[in-house]
Amino acid sequence: MAPIAVGDSLPDGNVSFFDENDELQTVSIHSLAAGKKVVLFGVPGAFTPTCSLKHVPGFIEKAEELKSKGVQEILCISVNDPFVMKAWAKTFPDNKHVKFLADGSGTYTHALGLELDLSEKGLGTRSRRFALLVDNLKVKVTNLEEGGSFTVSSADDILKAL
């Protein structure tokens, strides 16, 4: 499957997260993104070094700036279960705006065409690192990384596109 591209419609699919009341929610991506300008960024794995030290912190630090430019939702997705994503989210106590979404079986990542085979590292099929800017379900920017790179999918890269 070809990776999602500029001009594509964001596919729908279900993801899970724990809400502010610590209740497990399963929702469609469209319910989070329809009628809104959103950033959807994906990481290969919770608690992994680049994801935890650079990618996620950048979006947390730049969240207010992204919001000031019209972004209404900042969504982080990873092929992990919702309990892992909840535990990982708690390691970012300053986070007020990034929602941590679990794509437990990688079904949504597959729908985006953004799988990354990390079996050699014992991680199985995960998500490529990426950042998408989506406006009312239409993809406006696709910043897709190759392998384990972190060169084009940062919060600063999305800010440059706004």
Side-chain angles (χ1 to χ4, degrees), residues 28-48:
S28 74
I29 286 286
H30 281 193
S31 73
L32 298 173
K36 298 177 184 174
K37 186 180 287 187
V38 303
V39 172
L40 174 64
F41 72 100
V43 297
F47 295 103
T48 56

Side-chain angles (χ1 to χ4, degrees), residues 100-143:
F100 287 75
L101 305 176
D103 181 19
S105 62
T107 306
Y108 192 71
T109 298
H110 175 76
L112 294 172
L114 296 176
E115 301 109 315
L116 178 63
D117 185 356
L118 293 176
S119 297
E120 286 184 13
K121 296 183 178 182
L123 298 172
T125 301
R126 296 298 181 113
S127 172
R128 285 171 63 180
R129 186 179 312 284
F130 68 88
L132 306 176
L133 179 62
V134 180
D135 194 351
N136 194 25
L137 305 179
K138 280 287 185 206
V139 178
K140 301 297 184 183
V141 174
T142 57
N143 293 349

Side-chain angles (χ1 to χ4, degrees), residues 43 45-58 88 91-92 129:
V43 297
F47 295 103
T48 56
T50 302
C51 306
S52 295
L53 300 175
K54 296 179 183 176
H55 207 181
V56 170
W88 191 36
T91 68
F92 301 101
R129 186 179 312 284

